[in-house]
Amino acid sequence: TYERAELAMPAVVKKDGSRSEFDLGKIRASMMLALRKRPVSIDQVNAALGRIEEKLLATGAAEVPSTKIGEMVMRELKK
C-alpha cells in the first residue's frame, strides 16, 4: 500500500466571523473579472493562482482571514 499526505486548504474566516471552505474557483472568477480588459493570458492567471495556493499551504494554518487572501490576490494582480 502507498500512503499519501493529503494537503488540506485552510478554512477562510470572513469579516463577520463566519467560516467557509477555501474555493479557488471564486478567486479565479474575481481575477478574471478584474483582468477582463487587460492583456493577461489564462496561463498567467493560473500561475498566479498556483502561487497563492502554495503560499496558503505553506502557512500550515487551519484558518486564514479573507483579508489576507485578498492581499495575496492584489499582490499577484499588481505583478
Side-chain angles (χ1 to χ4, degrees):
T1 63
Y2 293 99
E3 292 184 21
R4 292 185 189 161
E6 186 174 320
L7 300 174
M9 293 301 290
V12 178
V13 181
K14 298 182 180 182
K15 287 181 183 179
D16 65 0
S18 65
R19 287 158 176 72
S20 66
E21 189 176 315
F22 178 80
D23 185 5
L24 196 61
K26 285 183 181 180
I27 297 174
R28 180 186 314 276
S30 64
M31 287 182 79
M32 294 304 290
L33 184 63
L35 298 169
R36 68 184 178 273
K37 293 184 181 182
R38 304 263 184 222
V40 178
S41 71
I42 296 295
D43 292 335
Q44 289 173 310
V45 173
N46 289 336
L49 290 169
R51 287 189 295 270
I52 291 169
E53 200 169 20
E54 283 178 25
K55 287 176 188 173
L56 288 174
L57 286 172
T59 64
E63 296 178 339
V64 63
S66 61
T67 54
K68 183 169 181 147
I69 295 173
E71 289 169 5
M72 290 179 182
V73 170
M74 291 305 291
R75 271 189 244 120
E76 290 296 329
L77 288 173
K78 205 180 239 188
K79 289 181 186 176

